[in-house]
Amino acid sequence: MTLRGENLIGAEARRGTEAAFRAVEAATGRALEPDFPGADRGDLDRACALAEAAFDTFRETDPEARAGFLEAIAANILDIGDDLVTRCMAETGLPRPRIEGERARTVGQLRLFAGVVREGSYVEARIDPALPDRKPLPRPDLRLRRIAVGPVAVFGASNFPLAFSVAGGDTASALAAGCPVVVKAHPAHPGTSELVGRAIQKAVAACGLPEGTFSLLFDAGQSIGQGLVADPRIAAVGFTGSRRGGTALMAIAAGRPSPIPVYAEMSSINPVLLFPGALAARGAAIGKAFAASLTLGAGQFCTNPGLILALPGPGLDAFLEAAGAALRESPAATMLTPGIQRAYREAVARVAGHAAVTRIAEGAEGGATQGRATLFAADSDVFLADPELQEEMFGASGLVVRCADFAAMRAVLERLEGQLTASLHLAPEDHAAARDLLPLLERRVGRILVDGFGTGVEVAHAMVHGGPYPATSDGRTTSVGSLAIDRFLRPVSYQDVPDALLPAALQAANPLGLPRRIDGTPERR
Ligand SMILES: NC(=O)C1=CN([C@@H]2O[C@H](COP(=O)(O)OP(=O)(O)OC[C@H]3O[C@@H](n4cnc5c(N)ncnc54)[C@H](O)[C@@H]3O)[C@@H](O)[C@H]2O)C=CC1
Ligand SMILES: O=C(O)CCC(=O)C(=O)O
């Protein structure tokens, strides 16, 4: 499929008029064809106007039509075939199995949301019938449903060019909710973005939906993204990336005459708690598994296990020896962009320069586009004394913090910022100590897992990929799994509205066959 470097604005495809950029082949630093001229203000305005015009029609599409649309996007992505995989590999440096797996996850995610739309409980339809004879006052007829919030701006992630990008979780959940989407493409994978964007554009046309249901804009800089968040027609924002980028967009959204929510997934170091029983039983095996998780995708996962907490002893020694040996064997890996590679090197150098931090092991030295795995260690009082040690090193680096006892481990956890995940490695005799720490972990993280690592998020109904700030901007939400749809819905209540004027979801005959609550109890169907 030929790439044209065009913005997709509703049904149109046109090259921008602003400064152009090219994708960079991650492994070599070579510029790739074609160039992508940036969208201009007129393009931004048209994309937002079309999204606004599409909103009322798109949000009222019936469940089958909306689910069919999501499935059509999935089918069109698969139809692109190997062109998508090879372009994505070139732009990101990620290997084929990873990209193919991510494509399957993206398609599975769209289909999951098709199922959510068909099943219908996300609408939260509730009916409290009138009680005209209630004393001292009659109760009115009250009916509630959730509606889409409005057009959503999506900023894709550099590190998940499919599953967290143009047709990723933010887009899939916003479309499922009934929100038109305007994507600001990530400049690290514009070709991948154009291919996937065309797959969505084609599905919009084939499903007979309003053209403004989807648009995709390119920009060499940041003005289109900033303009998008500031545009009064945009009602919410989905973002995955840096803390600096996420907080900049939050500030723009909060400063608007009508502020809107920004759902930003940002930085996390994902503490791993190694309990003494587990370390004694299988310290070396945990060390090996940890090294595999740390180096996955060159460490460029927001779920990367960057902080390990453990009590000293032979079990921890075995862990460090095995993890160190695996990391010393690990090859350097191509990183996503020159900027990310530079930031990683600088972050590692900063920690390496810390007088009280020791380097346990490092992987093979890489070339100019690569990152090298590194494992550091420090005592808990050193960690507690220096807040910079809990900054994310976005790449394959971790810090082992030795805690003299569980009180010291608790002190470290108390000091931690919000996180996406916490992993606990346990033997049965560790349960009492783990139980003590669980309430604190619940306050710090979005997902608690046992005997595993957080990398590789399952797209499922019970998944939370979120967490308190700064892991995300709003710890009440998730960006992965079916609950992600909640971010783009808001409740509306209808009081004493005649049946003929009610939305189908709330009419007496329940023409959409939705699951509903009558007086708080599931309706018999
Ligand atoms: N925790 C995580 O999930 C991730 C963290 N990162 C971190 O971010 C660093 C840079 O990676 P990027 O992917 O380039 O993230 P980034 O945050 O710089 O960019 C993400 C997107 O937001 C846009 N953007 C960023 N700042 C903006 C601003 N002030 N105004 C308007 N738009 C803005 C960019 O153009 C891009 O489309 C990495 O080195 C890493 O530290 C990156 C990817 C994922
Ligand atoms: O670990 C995963 O599967 C997802 C990680 C993620 O959300 C990210 O790195 O942005």
Side-chain angles (χ1 to χ4, degrees), residues 186-204:
H186 197 293
H189 54 264
T192 304
S193 299
E194 185 182 332
L195 290 172
V196 174
R198 285 186 191 277
I200 304 179
Q201 192 186 47
K202 213 165 109 189
V204 171

Side-chain angles (χ1 to χ4, degrees), residues 155-160 184-188 219-227 229 239-246 248-249 252 265-268 300-303 336-337 339-341 343-344 392-394 420 465 471:
F155 291 74
S158 54
N159 60 336
F160 273 79
K184 206 294 279 181
H186 197 293
D219 185 16
Q222 297 179 338
S223 71
I224 289 296
Q226 292 173 357
V229 176
F239 169 95
T240 304
S242 68
R243 187 159 167 179
R244 186 190 296 176
L249 298 184
I252 294 171
E265 189 217 304
M266 301 174 284
S267 60
S268 186
Q300 302 163 122
F301 276 58
C302 53
T303 44
L336 292 159
T337 68
I340 288 176
Q341 196 256 5
Y344 175 61
E392 184 182 47
M393 294 180 269
F394 192 68
L420 293 172
H465 189 57

Side-chain angles (χ1 to χ4, degrees), residues 81-91 96 99:
D82 211 47
D83 285 357
L84 179 61
V85 177
T86 51
R87 177 73 189 196
C88 195
M89 287 166 62
E91 290 185 332
R96 175 174 285 275
I99 298 298

Side-chain angles (χ1 to χ4, degrees), residues 51-106:
E52 173 65 20
F55 178 47
D56 278 331
T57 305
F58 182 58
R59 74 185 173 89
E60 291 299 353
T61 43
D62 67 54
E64 193 47 48
R66 194 135 18 104
F69 170 51
L70 294 167
E71 288 166 345
I73 297 172
N76 290 350
I77 289 172
L78 291 176
D79 278 352
I80 304 169
D82 211 47
D83 285 357
L84 179 61
V85 177
T86 51
R87 177 73 189 196
C88 195
M89 287 166 62
E91 290 185 332
T92 62
L94 295 169
R96 175 174 285 275
R98 155 67 195 270
I99 298 298
E100 288 179 348
E102 199 181 319
R103 180 177 57 178
R105 172 168 161 176
T106 307

Side-chain angles (χ1 to χ4, degrees), residues 230-314:
D231 192 286
R233 292 160 292 198
I234 294 297
V237 180
F239 169 95
T240 304
S242 68
R243 187 159 167 179
R244 186 190 296 176
T247 50
L249 298 184
M250 285 163 66
I252 294 171
R256 293 169 34 137
S258 56
I260 54 169
V262 174
Y263 298 104
E265 189 217 304
M266 301 174 284
S267 60
S268 186
I269 55 172
N270 307 299
V272 176
L273 281 56
L274 304 178
F275 286 77
L279 279 177
R282 49 181 204 280
I286 300 171
K288 209 163 153 216
F290 159 73
S293 175
L294 187 76
T295 52
L296 198 66
Q300 302 163 122
F301 276 58
C302 53
T303 44
N304 193 256
L307 179 70
I308 299 87
L309 308 180
L311 275 52

